[in-house]
Amino acid sequence: MRLFLSFGPTAAELWALIIALHIQTIQAINFSPAPSPNLDLSQLGRVALAGNFDAISLYTYQNQNENGFNTNGSQALLTQMPNGDFATLASADASIVTMCPFILKSGEYMGVVVGGNFTSLGGVEAQGVALFNTTSGSTTPLPGLSGQVFALFCDQTSSTVYVGGDFSGANSTNALAWVGMTGWTNLAFAGFNGPVQTINRAPNGNFIFGGSFTGLGNSSSIPDVKDQQVINLSSANISAGAGTATTGFSDPTNIVCTQGGQGGAGETWLLEDDTPGFWKAEMNFGYEPTKLRLWNTAQDGRGTKTFRFTAFPINGIMNFTYTDSNGQLNNCASQCPLPHTTSYTDFHFVNVIGMNSFQIDISDWYGSGGGLNGVELFQDDMYAYAVSSLNEPVCEVSQLGSNSTTTGPWQVTPSGQSSSEYLTANLTGPNVNSNSASVVFMPDIKQSGNYTVTIYTPGCIQDNTCSIRGISNVTGTFASAAGSSPPVQTKIYQTNDFDKYDQIYHGYVDAGSGSFRPSVTLAPLDSQNTSINLVAHRVRFSLDSSSGGLNGLFEWDPNQASVNTDYTNSSIDSAGANLQPGALITSVEVIGQTTYVAGNFSGTGVQNIFAISNGNATSLPDGGLNAAVAATFVFGDLLFLGGNFTDTVNPSTKGFNYVGLFDPTRNAFQALGGGVNGQVTSIVPLLLNITNGQPETCITVGGIFSQVLNSGTSQAFAAQDGFAIWVPSHNDWLQNLNVQTMAVTGQLDAATNISGSTPLLAGTISSQGMGVSDAVELSTSGSLALDSLGVKITPQQVGSPNQRKRAVSGQNVTGAVVGIFDTNNGRNTTIIGGHFTATSTNGSTINNLAIINSTNNGSSSVTGIGSGLQSDSVFLALAIQGDILYAGGTITGTLDNDNINGLVVWNLATSNFASPQPPSFSGSNVAVNAITVQPSSTDVYVAGSFDTAGSLNCPSICLFSSGQWKQPGSGLGGSVAALAWQGNTKLLAGGNLTVGHNQTTLATYDTTGDAWTEVPGAATVPGPVTALTPASSDGSQYWVAGKSTNGSAFLMKFDGSNFQTVGDTLGDRTLIRGLSLLSLSQNHADTSLVGANLALLVTGQLNLPVFGSASAALFNGSTFTPFILSNSGNNPGSLSQLFTENQQTFSSSSGTLAVGLVVLIALAIAVVLMFLLVLAGFLWERHLRKMEGYRPAPQNYYEKTTNMSRIPPEHLFSSLGRNTGPRI
């Protein structure tokens, strides 16, 4: 169990730790480059990639990844790498809202102070504030605060960090200072009685605090009714020492819930005669008592004369104040006197200390021994607990006592590291919503007034639920009149590692009555489609002072030792006092000599924003803004604004919807295009390369909106996840500019500059180096780079389940699936197929097949293929023969009364559909997955899943030749996914096949023999083949990939004799969609799988060991290296295939020679060796004979010679090369 009070290291210990970690001078954050891919694409001509993505990057730095931005409320410290992509430096478990670089007066850079609502940063427990070392990446917690930090100001001139928020620490609330080497230091005014939202330095050097406070921390904040809540002792474990054995007086629980302390048997507890003793209460929750109430006993003349109160677990004797019998205020500690009367006596705690148990030790007594008739504890703050037994005891309070009600499968969970037990609900998805479970907290509010309402959330590490914690929707009802204050709703992310609390409301709360009870309802947020874990702990209502003399603004002179509470001497304090009570100041910005104050407030002639200059507060044009300001940012001399406003008070600025700026030089508000369609909560700068590759400051806008609105030339567009970027240099939104730049989605909440390094950002971001959808070109000269193909594609989800089934397993059915280059007859055309929409050059909509023509004078145009095909068609395969484009997939439609199903033919020369079209395919779930043209032929082979072509029985694969369908061979069935030629007359097919009713994954077709044959060894392939590529010039070696019957991905190479597997080197959820063997400019170590001068490109959705998700990787025979990363929305993207202008050729068949060539070379070597042996033997024989006296016989024979001399030598060896395999 964790108490309210935190105990951490001393300031000296903290400083020693910081000194050990800090850097002497500011250093840039370094990033490690990724290994170079060393690809040589020069022989391939143009190279492009097709897939399903809207952002894509080459893998150039090791910090890159495909991670989406977090949607569970957690954020991180981020920075930009040299390529513009974002790197995560340290993750937090909740929000980061403010940062500043901490530099001492001496110039020593200590790190960046980070503030927010987190409970951990970089894996280190840190409650709301921490110091981050930007070089080492280490986090140093700054313990001692309990709560949230909203504002930071790092002042180098005094080596001080000023901290504001909703917290308690040291002896202050809501404002503290970390000073040089001394750690936390109370400010002269001990903070404020309400949260601080902003801190800034005024032009005169003083500090301005803004927030929702009405008084200083050391001003009177005593509520009309103190000690309002009764702490529940009835659920405590009660024990005693040296108690009497007398029946009716021995039970220490007699004095709990005594309802007036009348005494007597069963209502009095006594000690043994003349013996000191104790009474102890141990609870399963923590509390901070402010008052102890004791009823003494007079049973038989007995009674307690003196006692002491010890708090646990601190084991400390508490100090009290009390009023004696003469009406005088006195103090006591170890010998507190208790009058010998049956009425109660109240003892007020001098120090408010967190505890979970206490002990009353009786040291002296009246009569024969001590005893008590009753005991109660009280606290100021109002709590309502989810666990009902922790609320106020019904035996001691009225029916309005704090309580809670529940619906749903809640269970009590042990306190662990939390302050008490809490409720847990495991909710099964999908469709988790507010009706699945709920807890209604009802506090005992006795006094109306301004309250800060806070909800507590237990940490997820202690109950091991971090991976499944959900999002709660919290609704507060605080006013009795239905129209005076509508319910307040807040979304709370429950993924905090350690206990945290969130402020959900600050404002007026009506007291409870017989007709109204303030309440807070916690339920799951709607539309959570997975199973989640939800927790409910407690809600606190803390009464604020209403007479402190301030109203959201306070100016402080740090050079004065004491605070002047005559606030009329400050133009800033006076400006706040002139606002209507309850002002909320969210931002104080300084431009030149003028201070701008923004928030949620109104006053005479001002609303939600005003300026202070030369000691005077003045309204801005048209009376200010018509609703609250939530975020500001100063860019040069411009003040950017975001919030709930839709115009000025006196409407004058068209398009000023939720975001805009104020230009002091023109004294005018200015719209950002047409604004957005919902609340803006953050405005943060970001460096982007916009013009000529030079970085410039852009303005990110985040909030609760879904669209950027149009205005004039600024076009409307969807704003994914409430995020948009304004480019000041172009006075327009980034999405409206015709520039190629990086893709950024997510949310940014804070930024700070670090001298000599890239800015540090806070938020949750998904980014890639280039924002382009579904098709991209890969440069083949110079350094590798990605470039747009010049077409804007929008992926479309396939609506029909049948369409998904008809697409072969392994292919995505959204975005670009397939592509091809056409250079025939002088054309320079790129064709992209899949399931998407695109915009043609003339502005019309293109569905699923886009033709990019770059033929004329370097300019390009984008066209489609006209109407007639259903918009839900999906193109999966493309091939070109002459001027004719064959396009296949799950395609349906009607062209000139010709039914289309699976295949359509387009004439590239005339830009029209061919007429007539080939007879359509038929069968169950028709799909064309692969099309190929036979080398040195005009025959086109079309394969996939179908039964007939027109009236021809032609299952799985069909040949289109001379304008008609023909069946190639017989006996093949199933679904074909991929095709590749092995020479000119042998076709390799992969998929989920049957050959002669035998199940297989690979088969070959011999065009000369018109027969299908199962590939020997194909039985070792563990599942249907969905991708294949040649690995040698003759195609006798090749790579195959697919998904095993157990659901895992496989990747194998056929080396001409056997299948070799790469093993289980790819992680779960890997889906391989394409394979390509590419040449290298620099060799790697040779392996049996991949030759030294080659690398296998694997595309799809890959899960690489250690690294994680990637869209493409290079395999060198032993290791996978990420090559291309992409995203689609907030998820990893995918790549279907790489397509090239020219075919890949192999100088050395992937490190080994073709089998036929090996045989031929071996035979030649054997012949030479045999010749040399015969020659040596002949010479040796002659030598011996000569030595023995022999003479050569005559060499001329006149017999008839043979015809051997007339046989050309090449005829002898002509048959040796016949089995080397066809060439590609």
Side-chain angles (χ1 to χ4, degrees), residues 208-209 213 549-555 566-585 588 595-598 601-613 615-619:
I208 304 173
F209 294 81
F213 48 80
L550 297 175
N551 190 20
L553 280 172
F554 176 65
E555 180 183 9
D566 183 1
Y567 303 132
T568 60
N569 294 327
S570 166
S571 60
I572 292 171
D573 297 349
S574 297
N578 290 330
L579 300 175
Q580 292 293 321
L584 169 62
I585 309 301
V588 174
T595 300
Y596 294 89
V597 179
F601 53 78
S602 62
T604 303
V606 299
Q607 194 159 321
N608 301 309
I609 188 169
F610 65 89
I612 303 174
S613 181
N616 296 312
T618 59
S619 63

Side-chain angles (χ1 to χ4, degrees), residues 687-718:
L687 289 176
L688 290 177
N689 294 330
I690 302 297
T691 307
N692 300 322
Q694 296 300 315
E696 60 181 270
T697 300
C698 299
I699 307 299
T700 68
V701 176
I704 309 170
F705 56 88
S706 59
Q707 188 179 38
V708 173
L709 305 176
N710 70 301
S711 176
T713 58
S714 182
Q715 300 298 310
F717 58 88

Side-chain angles (χ1 to χ4, degrees), residues 844-900:
S844 61
T845 298
I846 297 170
N847 288 315
N848 308 321
L849 191 73
I851 301 174
I852 309 162
N853 192 328
S854 305
T855 302
N856 298 321
N857 301 321
S859 62
S860 62
S861 62
V862 180
T863 60
I865 57 173
S867 60
L869 301 181
Q870 296 293 325
S871 61
D872 64 352
S873 296
V874 182
F875 288 91
L876 301 172
L878 300 175
I880 295 174
Q881 200 285 311
D883 292 332
I884 303 301
L885 170 68
Y886 294 85
T890 57
I891 305 165
T892 56
T894 303
L895 299 173
D896 294 331
N897 298 320
D898 289 335
N899 290 327
I900 303 299

Side-chain angles (χ1 to χ4, degrees), residues 7 40 56 140 191 222 428 438 557 609 655 686 886 936 944 988 1087 1135 1149 1164:
F7 297 93
D40 179 7
I56 191 168
T140 303
I222 300 175
T428 303
S438 68
D557 183 354
I609 188 169
L686 177 66
Y886 294 85
S936 304
L988 176 66
T1087 70
L1135 289 176
S1149 306

